[in-house]
Amino acid sequence: MLSLLLLLPAAFAEPTLAVPLERKTVSLALANSLTQAALASCRMIGREAVVAVVDRGGNLVSLQRGDDIGPHNTLAAQRKAFTALSTKANTTVLAARAATDPMSRNLLTMPELLLLGGGVPIVIDGDVIGGIGVAGSGGSANDERCATEAIASVMSKLTAPS
């Protein structure tokens, strides 16, 4: 009975008010800027590509495909972007880890993940807010270069003083 009396005040206490949670994510404008910058980066090295950008929930926000790129690259770009977001890691690093670390080889068995270079997380203030994936530019090194250069270019404009 005494324990019941001790619990009564808690039952009548005011509920704790939820504090609004602010989270950054990838807007359509940001995603389009990133896809355009990645395509421009690929074109600077004489290549075309497919570029996909996903938001923090893994949802496709923007997808652009250069001319004459094989159709399989569209899904590859999206899966690279999702993999980078989901694992919060560059897909080149993940591929190397899966190849050399027996404890990480199970990453290869997850069909949602694509462990090929060209997927890079999009990070703002230390928080992963999305991912970009590039495919079809002539190899993983080119794909990663285009993705990394796009992020550097677009993010520098967002953080540059006015």
Side-chain angles (χ1 to χ4, degrees), residues 72-132:
H72 66 284
N73 289 299
T74 300
L75 182 57
Q78 187 173 351
R79 286 182 55 206
K80 288 179 184 185
F82 177 84
T83 301
L85 161 78
S86 180
T87 62
K88 296 180 168 90
N90 182 308
T91 56
T92 299
V93 172
L94 287 171
R97 190 178 306 149
T100 60
D101 177 15
M103 298 301 290
S104 298
R105 286 200 182 112
N106 65 338
L107 291 171
L108 295 169
T109 66
M110 300 183 71
E112 301 84 10
L113 303 182
L114 185 57
L115 303 185
L116 294 175
V120 180
I122 302 166
V123 181
I124 293 187
D125 298 330
D127 190 22
V128 176
I129 64 162
I132 183 170

Side-chain angles (χ1 to χ4, degrees), residues 31-156:
N32 285 338
S33 293
L34 287 165
T35 54
Q36 291 167 5
L39 287 174
S41 176
C42 287
R43 289 176 180 140
M44 292 293 290
I45 59 171
R47 307 301 293 196
E48 290 288 338
V50 177
V51 182
V53 175
V54 298
D55 65 13
R56 70 179 317 124
N59 303 297
L60 181 63
V61 180
S62 181
L63 177 75
Q64 293 186 31
R65 185 182 67 79
D67 295 333
D68 299 322
I69 299 299
H72 66 284
N73 289 299
T74 300
L75 182 57
Q78 187 173 351
R79 286 182 55 206
K80 288 179 184 185
F82 177 84
T83 301
L85 161 78
S86 180
T87 62
K88 296 180 168 90
N90 182 308
T91 56
T92 299
V93 172
L94 287 171
R97 190 178 306 149
T100 60
D101 177 15
M103 298 301 290
S104 298
R105 286 200 182 112
N106 65 338
L107 291 171
L108 295 169
T109 66
M110 300 183 71
E112 301 84 10
L113 303 182
L114 185 57
L115 303 185
L116 294 175
V120 180
I122 302 166
V123 181
I124 293 187
D125 298 330
D127 190 22
V128 176
I129 64 162
I132 183 170
V134 178
S137 71
S140 295
N142 286 347
D143 293 345
E144 183 172 342
R145 174 184 173 173
C146 297
T148 303
E149 287 181 359
I151 290 173
S153 171
V154 171
M155 295 305 180
S156 70

